[in-house]
Every structure is written in structure tokens, then in C-alpha cells.
Amino acid sequence: MDRLGRVREIAEALVQGAEESSMRQPDPRYAARLAAYGAVATRLPLLSDRRIGAMAADAAPLGSGVGGGSAELDLDGTRVFVKRVPLTDTADRCTSRTSDSP
């Protein structure tokens, strides 16, 4: 199965789970939150690493702490929390060799 097919499969499972959960959960905010999560979970894998990096760089900063900075961005009308975790040069080289991360 290709990447897009897998993303569609996950999105369908999330939507189905949201629908089933909303039947058990009387609070409509819960179902709305799950639906928003499903939309973001579907959209993010379709974006390139470069595009996600640009979005994170342009995100509105919220603050910073020992573990790095945080920000918030808008993805198709949904607020998304961004955690910026700085990598050491060694960690950056190891990560880029073992995964497709930028």
C-alpha cells in the first residue's frame, strides 16, 4: 500500500472512531475534537518536510523553556501546538541518517 493509501486508511479509521465515540459520548465538543484531530492527522503526512518546517518557523510563538520553544499554527482552520526541540549536531546527523526527517 502506498503512503497516500495508508493515510486514507488511517483517516477513515479516525472518522469511524469519532462517529462511534460520539454515539457513546453525549458531549458534541468531544466528537468535534476527534474530527479535527482526524483532519490534521490526514493533512500533515501529505505535506513535505520543507513545508512543515516553514509552517513551524512561521508559527506564532507561545513561549520557551528548558526543553525548547513552543508555538501555535493554523492548519486548515485547526490550531496545532508546535514543540520546538533543539537538536545537537550529533543528534541531527544521527536522526537524518536513520529517518527521512529534515
Side-chain angles (χ1 to χ4, degrees):
M1 178 181 299
D2 66 346
R3 181 178 176 184
L4 186 57
R6 182 69 182 132
V7 168
R8 284 188 181 124
E9 183 180 277
I10 292 169
E12 288 171 7
L14 285 169
V15 170
Q16 181 181 0
E19 289 170 353
E20 291 172 2
S21 179
S22 66
M23 286 185 249
R24 292 188 309 264
Q25 199 54 265
D27 186 355
R29 294 174 296 177
Y30 181 76
R33 191 173 78 234
L34 283 178
Y37 173 80
V40 169
T42 300
R43 180 84 168 104
L44 279 176
L46 300 176
L47 299 173
S48 70
D49 290 340
R50 189 176 306 265
R51 178 70 180 122
I52 291 172
M55 290 172 66
D58 293 340
L62 295 176
S64 63
V66 175
S70 61
E72 183 177 89
L73 61 84
D74 181 271
L75 183 64
D76 300 333
T78 301
R79 294 181 323 175
V80 177
F81 175 80
V82 176
K83 180 68 177 173
R84 294 182 176 129
V85 180
L87 296 176
T88 64
D89 288 338
T90 303
D92 191 31
R93 283 193 304 271
C94 291
T95 303
S96 63
R97 274 200 312 263
T98 58
S99 69
D100 293 332
S101 63

Short mmCIF file of all heavy atoms in Angstrom, two decimals, residues 39-91:
data_model
loop_
_atom_site.label_atom_id
_atom_site.label_comp_id
_atom_site.label_asym_id
_atom_site.label_seq_id
_atom_site.Cartn_x
_atom_site.Cartn_y
_atom_site.Cartn_z
N ALA A 39 -8.73 15.31 10.83
CA ALA A 39 -8.40 16.17 9.69
C ALA A 39 -6.91 16.54 9.71
O ALA A 39 -6.24 16.49 8.67
CB ALA A 39 -9.26 17.43 9.72
N VAL A 40 -6.39 16.90 10.88
CA VAL A 40 -4.97 17.26 10.99
C VAL A 40 -4.10 16.03 10.74
O VAL A 40 -3.10 16.10 10.03
CB VAL A 40 -4.67 17.89 12.37
CG1 VAL A 40 -3.17 18.01 12.61
CG2 VAL A 40 -5.34 19.24 12.49
N ALA A 41 -4.49 14.90 11.29
CA ALA A 41 -3.72 13.66 11.12
C ALA A 41 -3.70 13.23 9.66
O ALA A 41 -2.75 12.57 9.21
CB ALA A 41 -4.30 12.55 12.00
N THR A 42 -4.71 13.58 8.91
CA THR A 42 -4.76 13.26 7.49
C THR A 42 -3.91 14.24 6.69
O THR A 42 -3.21 13.86 5.75
CB THR A 42 -6.22 13.31 6.98
OG1 THR A 42 -6.98 12.36 7.71
CG2 THR A 42 -6.29 12.99 5.50
N ARG A 43 -3.95 15.50 7.05
CA ARG A 43 -3.29 16.56 6.28
C ARG A 43 -1.76 16.57 6.47
O ARG A 43 -1.02 16.75 5.50
CB ARG A 43 -3.87 17.90 6.69
CG ARG A 43 -3.29 19.08 5.99
CD ARG A 43 -3.97 19.31 4.65
NE ARG A 43 -3.57 20.62 4.14
CZ ARG A 43 -2.69 20.78 3.16
NH1 ARG A 43 -2.14 19.74 2.58
NH2 ARG A 43 -2.36 21.98 2.75
N LEU A 44 -1.29 16.40 7.69
CA LEU A 44 0.15 16.52 7.96
C LEU A 44 1.02 15.57 7.13
O LEU A 44 2.02 16.00 6.58
CB LEU A 44 0.44 16.34 9.45
CG LEU A 44 0.20 17.57 10.32
CD1 LEU A 44 0.44 17.24 11.79
CD2 LEU A 44 1.08 18.73 9.90
N PRO A 45 0.68 14.29 7.02
CA PRO A 45 1.56 13.40 6.24
C PRO A 45 1.61 13.74 4.76
O PRO A 45 2.52 13.31 4.05
CB PRO A 45 0.94 12.01 6.43
CG PRO A 45 0.08 12.12 7.62
CD PRO A 45 -0.37 13.54 7.69
N LEU A 46 0.66 14.53 4.28
CA LEU A 46 0.64 14.91 2.88
C LEU A 46 1.54 16.10 2.58
O LEU A 46 1.81 16.41 1.43
CB LEU A 46 -0.80 15.22 2.44
CG LEU A 46 -1.79 14.06 2.60
CD1 LEU A 46 -3.18 14.51 2.24
CD2 LEU A 46 -1.36 12.87 1.77
N LEU A 47 2.01 16.78 3.63
CA LEU A 47 2.88 17.93 3.47
C LEU A 47 4.34 17.48 3.44
O LEU A 47 4.73 16.53 4.12
CB LEU A 47 2.68 18.92 4.62
CG LEU A 47 1.29 19.51 4.77
CD1 LEU A 47 1.19 20.33 6.04
CD2 LEU A 47 0.92 20.34 3.56
N SER A 48 5.16 18.20 2.70
CA SER A 48 6.59 17.88 2.65
C SER A 48 7.26 18.33 3.94
O SER A 48 6.73 19.18 4.67
CB SER A 48 7.24 18.59 1.45
OG SER A 48 7.28 19.99 1.68
N ASP A 49 8.42 17.77 4.22
CA ASP A 49 9.20 18.18 5.39
C ASP A 49 9.52 19.67 5.31
O ASP A 49 9.48 20.38 6.31
CB ASP A 49 10.49 17.38 5.50
CG ASP A 49 10.25 15.94 5.87
OD1 ASP A 49 9.19 15.63 6.40
OD2 ASP A 49 11.16 15.13 5.62
N ARG A 50 9.84 20.13 4.12
CA ARG A 50 10.18 21.54 3.93
C ARG A 50 8.97 22.43 4.25
O ARG A 50 9.10 23.45 4.91
CB ARG A 50 10.63 21.77 2.49
CG ARG A 50 11.22 23.15 2.25
CD ARG A 50 11.74 23.27 0.82
NE ARG A 50 12.68 22.22 0.49
CZ ARG A 50 14.00 22.32 0.57
NH1 ARG A 50 14.53 23.44 0.98
NH2 ARG A 50 14.78 21.32 0.25
N ARG A 51 7.79 22.02 3.81
CA ARG A 51 6.57 22.81 4.07
C ARG A 51 6.25 22.82 5.57
O ARG A 51 5.90 23.86 6.12
CB ARG A 51 5.39 22.24 3.28
CG ARG A 51 4.09 22.95 3.51
CD ARG A 51 4.10 24.34 2.88
NE ARG A 51 2.84 24.97 3.14
CZ ARG A 51 2.69 26.14 3.77
NH1 ARG A 51 3.76 26.81 4.15
NH2 ARG A 51 1.52 26.63 4.00
N ILE A 52 6.34 21.67 6.22
CA ILE A 52 6.09 21.62 7.66
C ILE A 52 7.11 22.48 8.41
O ILE A 52 6.75 23.21 9.34
CB ILE A 52 6.12 20.16 8.17
CG1 ILE A 52 4.92 19.39 7.61
CG2 ILE A 52 6.10 20.12 9.70
CD1 ILE A 52 4.95 17.91 7.89
N GLY A 53 8.36 22.42 7.99
CA GLY A 53 9.39 23.26 8.61
C GLY A 53 9.09 24.74 8.46
O GLY A 53 9.25 25.53 9.40
N ALA A 54 8.63 25.14 7.27
CA ALA A 54 8.30 26.54 7.04
C ALA A 54 7.10 26.96 7.88
O ALA A 54 7.08 28.07 8.44
CB ALA A 54 8.00 26.77 5.55
N MET A 55 6.12 26.09 7.98
CA MET A 55 4.94 26.40 8.80
C MET A 55 5.33 26.55 10.26
O MET A 55 4.86 27.46 10.95
CB MET A 55 3.88 25.30 8.64
CG MET A 55 3.22 25.29 7.28
SD MET A 55 2.14 23.86 7.05
CE MET A 55 0.88 24.17 8.25
N ALA A 56 6.19 25.66 10.75
CA ALA A 56 6.62 25.73 12.14
C ALA A 56 7.45 26.98 12.39
O ALA A 56 7.33 27.62 13.43
CB ALA A 56 7.43 24.48 12.51
N ALA A 57 8.29 27.36 11.42
CA ALA A 57 9.10 28.57 11.57
C ALA A 57 8.24 29.82 11.61
O ALA A 57 8.56 30.79 12.31
CB ALA A 57 10.11 28.66 10.43
N ASP A 58 7.14 29.82 10.87
CA ASP A 58 6.24 30.98 10.81
C ASP A 58 5.19 30.98 11.92
O ASP A 58 4.43 31.93 12.05
CB ASP A 58 5.53 31.04 9.46
CG ASP A 58 6.49 31.31 8.31
OD1 ASP A 58 7.60 31.82 8.58
OD2 ASP A 58 6.13 31.01 7.16
N ALA A 59 5.12 29.90 12.70
CA ALA A 59 4.09 29.78 13.74
C ALA A 59 4.26 30.84 14.82
O ALA A 59 5.37 31.26 15.13
CB ALA A 59 4.14 28.39 14.36
N ALA A 60 3.14 31.25 15.39
CA ALA A 60 3.14 32.26 16.45
C ALA A 60 3.76 31.68 17.71
O ALA A 60 3.26 30.68 18.25
CB ALA A 60 1.71 32.72 16.73
N PRO A 61 4.85 32.28 18.22
CA PRO A 61 5.49 31.75 19.42
C PRO A 61 4.60 31.86 20.65
O PRO A 61 3.87 32.84 20.80
CB PRO A 61 6.75 32.60 19.58
CG PRO A 61 6.63 33.72 18.63
CD PRO A 61 5.50 33.46 17.70
N LEU A 62 4.66 30.85 21.50
CA LEU A 62 3.89 30.86 22.76
C LEU A 62 4.80 31.05 23.96
O LEU A 62 4.39 31.59 24.97
CB LEU A 62 3.12 29.54 22.92
CG LEU A 62 2.03 29.27 21.90
CD1 LEU A 62 1.43 27.89 22.14
CD2 LEU A 62 0.94 30.33 21.96
N GLY A 63 6.02 30.58 23.86
CA GLY A 63 6.95 30.69 24.98
C GLY A 63 8.10 29.74 24.80
O GLY A 63 8.20 29.04 23.79
N SER A 64 8.98 29.71 25.80
CA SER A 64 10.10 28.77 25.74
C SER A 64 10.46 28.35 27.15
O SER A 64 10.15 29.03 28.12
CB SER A 64 11.30 29.40 25.04
OG SER A 64 11.77 30.50 25.77
N GLY A 65 11.10 27.21 27.20
CA GLY A 65 11.50 26.66 28.48
C GLY A 65 12.76 25.84 28.31
O GLY A 65 13.44 25.91 27.28
N VAL A 66 13.05 25.02 29.30
CA VAL A 66 14.25 24.21 29.28
C VAL A 66 14.27 23.27 28.07
O VAL A 66 15.29 23.07 27.43
CB VAL A 66 14.35 23.39 30.59
CG1 VAL A 66 15.53 22.45 30.55
CG2 VAL A 66 14.44 24.32 31.77
N GLY A 67 13.12 22.70 27.71
CA GLY A 67 13.06 21.73 26.63
C GLY A 67 12.94 22.33 25.25
O GLY A 67 12.87 21.62 24.26
N GLY A 68 12.89 23.64 25.14
CA GLY A 68 12.76 24.28 23.84
C GLY A 68 11.56 25.20 23.81
O GLY A 68 10.89 25.42 24.82
N GLY A 69 11.29 25.73 22.65
CA GLY A 69 10.19 26.68 22.49
C GLY A 69 8.92 25.99 22.06
O GLY A 69 8.90 24.83 21.65
N SER A 70 7.83 26.73 22.16
CA SER A 70 6.55 26.22 21.68
C SER A 70 5.87 27.30 20.86
O SER A 70 6.18 28.49 20.99
CB SER A 70 5.66 25.78 22.84
OG SER A 70 5.39 26.87 23.69
N ALA A 71 5.00 26.88 19.98
CA ALA A 71 4.29 27.81 19.11
C ALA A 71 2.95 27.21 18.75
O ALA A 71 2.64 26.07 19.11
CB ALA A 71 5.12 28.08 17.86
N GLU A 72 2.17 28.00 18.05
CA GLU A 72 0.86 27.54 17.60
C GLU A 72 0.69 27.95 16.15
O GLU A 72 1.00 29.08 15.77
CB GLU A 72 -0.23 28.18 18.47
CG GLU A 72 -1.62 27.72 18.14
CD GLU A 72 -2.63 28.34 19.08
OE1 GLU A 72 -3.11 29.44 18.76
OE2 GLU A 72 -2.90 27.75 20.13
N LEU A 73 0.22 27.02 15.34
CA LEU A 73 -0.03 27.34 13.94
C LEU A 73 -1.44 26.93 13.56
O LEU A 73 -2.11 26.21 14.29
CB LEU A 73 1.01 26.69 13.02
CG LEU A 73 1.14 25.17 12.98
CD1 LEU A 73 0.15 24.54 12.03
CD2 LEU A 73 2.54 24.81 12.53
N ASP A 74 -1.88 27.44 12.44
CA ASP A 74 -3.20 27.14 11.94
C ASP A 74 -3.07 26.20 10.75
O ASP A 74 -2.36 26.49 9.80
CB ASP A 74 -3.90 28.43 11.50
CG ASP A 74 -5.30 28.17 10.98
OD1 ASP A 74 -5.43 27.92 9.76
OD2 ASP A 74 -6.24 28.21 11.78
N LEU A 75 -3.72 25.06 10.82
CA LEU A 75 -3.70 24.10 9.73
C LEU A 75 -5.14 23.87 9.29
O LEU A 75 -5.90 23.20 9.99
CB LEU A 75 -3.05 22.78 10.16
CG LEU A 75 -2.92 21.73 9.08
CD1 LEU A 75 -1.97 22.22 7.97
CD2 LEU A 75 -2.40 20.43 9.65
N ASP A 76 -5.51 24.48 8.20
CA ASP A 76 -6.87 24.36 7.66
C ASP A 76 -7.93 24.70 8.70
O ASP A 76 -8.94 24.00 8.84
CB ASP A 76 -7.11 22.95 7.10
CG ASP A 76 -6.16 22.61 5.96
OD1 ASP A 76 -5.70 23.54 5.28
OD2 ASP A 76 -5.89 21.42 5.76
N GLY A 77 -7.69 25.76 9.47
CA GLY A 77 -8.67 26.20 10.45
C GLY A 77 -8.58 25.54 11.81
O GLY A 77 -9.37 25.83 12.70
N THR A 78 -7.62 24.66 12.00
CA THR A 78 -7.43 23.98 13.29
C THR A 78 -6.13 24.45 13.92
O THR A 78 -5.09 24.46 13.26
CB THR A 78 -7.39 22.45 13.10
OG1 THR A 78 -8.61 22.02 12.51
CG2 THR A 78 -7.20 21.74 14.43
N ARG A 79 -6.20 24.86 15.18
CA ARG A 79 -4.99 25.26 15.90
C ARG A 79 -4.16 24.02 16.22
O ARG A 79 -4.69 23.03 16.71
CB ARG A 79 -5.34 25.99 17.18
CG ARG A 79 -6.02 27.31 16.94
CD ARG A 79 -6.33 28.04 18.21
NE ARG A 79 -6.73 27.11 19.28
CZ ARG A 79 -6.97 27.46 20.52
NH1 ARG A 79 -6.86 28.70 20.90
NH2 ARG A 79 -7.33 26.57 21.41
N VAL A 80 -2.86 24.10 15.93
CA VAL A 80 -1.95 22.98 16.16
C VAL A 80 -0.80 23.47 17.02
O VAL A 80 -0.16 24.48 16.71
CB VAL A 80 -1.41 22.42 14.83
CG1 VAL A 80 -0.41 21.30 15.07
CG2 VAL A 80 -2.55 21.94 13.94
N PHE A 81 -0.54 22.76 18.11
CA PHE A 81 0.56 23.08 19.02
C PHE A 81 1.86 22.57 18.41
O PHE A 81 1.93 21.44 17.92
CB PHE A 81 0.31 22.41 20.38
CG PHE A 81 1.44 22.58 21.35
CD1 PHE A 81 1.59 23.76 22.06
CD2 PHE A 81 2.35 21.56 21.56
CE1 PHE A 81 2.63 23.93 22.97
CE2 PHE A 81 3.39 21.71 22.46
CZ PHE A 81 3.52 22.89 23.17
N VAL A 82 2.89 23.40 18.45
CA VAL A 82 4.21 23.05 17.91
C VAL A 82 5.22 23.10 19.04
O VAL A 82 5.32 24.10 19.75
CB VAL A 82 4.64 24.03 16.80
CG1 VAL A 82 6.04 23.72 16.31
CG2 VAL A 82 3.65 24.04 15.67
N LYS A 83 5.95 22.03 19.22
CA LYS A 83 7.03 22.00 20.22
C LYS A 83 8.35 22.01 19.45
O LYS A 83 8.60 21.14 18.62
CB LYS A 83 6.94 20.74 21.09
CG LYS A 83 8.01 20.62 22.14
CD LYS A 83 7.87 21.67 23.20
CE LYS A 83 8.91 21.50 24.28
NZ LYS A 83 8.91 22.58 25.23
N ARG A 84 9.16 23.00 19.72
CA ARG A 84 10.45 23.12 19.06
C ARG A 84 11.52 22.55 19.99
O ARG A 84 11.79 23.10 21.04
CB ARG A 84 10.75 24.57 18.75
CG ARG A 84 9.80 25.15 17.72
CD ARG A 84 10.16 26.59 17.41
NE ARG A 84 9.30 27.10 16.37
CZ ARG A 84 8.62 28.24 16.47
NH1 ARG A 84 8.73 28.98 17.55
NH2 ARG A 84 7.86 28.63 15.48
N VAL A 85 12.10 21.44 19.58
CA VAL A 85 13.11 20.77 20.39
C VAL A 85 14.45 20.89 19.66
O VAL A 85 14.62 20.32 18.58
CB VAL A 85 12.76 19.28 20.60
CG1 VAL A 85 13.82 18.59 21.43
CG2 VAL A 85 11.40 19.14 21.23
N PRO A 86 15.39 21.64 20.23
CA PRO A 86 16.68 21.79 19.56
C PRO A 86 17.47 20.49 19.59
O PRO A 86 17.46 19.77 20.59
CB PRO A 86 17.38 22.89 20.36
CG PRO A 86 16.70 22.90 21.68
CD PRO A 86 15.31 22.38 21.47
N LEU A 87 18.14 20.19 18.49
CA LEU A 87 18.98 19.01 18.41
C LEU A 87 20.44 19.42 18.42
O LEU A 87 20.81 20.45 17.87
CB LEU A 87 18.70 18.24 17.12
CG LEU A 87 17.31 17.64 16.95
CD1 LEU A 87 17.19 17.00 15.57
CD2 LEU A 87 17.02 16.62 18.02
N THR A 88 21.26 18.60 19.04
CA THR A 88 22.70 18.83 18.96
C THR A 88 23.16 18.44 17.56
O THR A 88 22.44 17.76 16.82
CB THR A 88 23.44 17.98 19.99
OG1 THR A 88 23.24 16.60 19.68
CG2 THR A 88 22.97 18.28 21.41
N ASP A 89 24.35 18.83 17.16
CA ASP A 89 24.87 18.47 15.85
C ASP A 89 24.92 16.95 15.68
O ASP A 89 24.57 16.41 14.64
CB ASP A 89 26.26 19.05 15.62
CG ASP A 89 26.24 20.55 15.41
OD1 ASP A 89 25.17 21.08 15.04
OD2 ASP A 89 27.27 21.20 15.64
N THR A 90 25.33 16.25 16.72
CA THR A 90 25.42 14.78 16.67
C THR A 90 24.04 14.17 16.51
O THR A 90 23.83 13.29 15.67
CB THR A 90 26.08 14.23 17.95
OG1 THR A 90 27.35 14.83 18.09
CG2 THR A 90 26.21 12.72 17.88
N ALA A 91 23.08 14.63 17.29
CA ALA A 91 21.72 14.09 17.19
C ALA A 91 21.12 14.39 15.83
O ALA A 91 20.44 13.55 15.24
CB ALA A 91 20.84 14.67 18.29
#
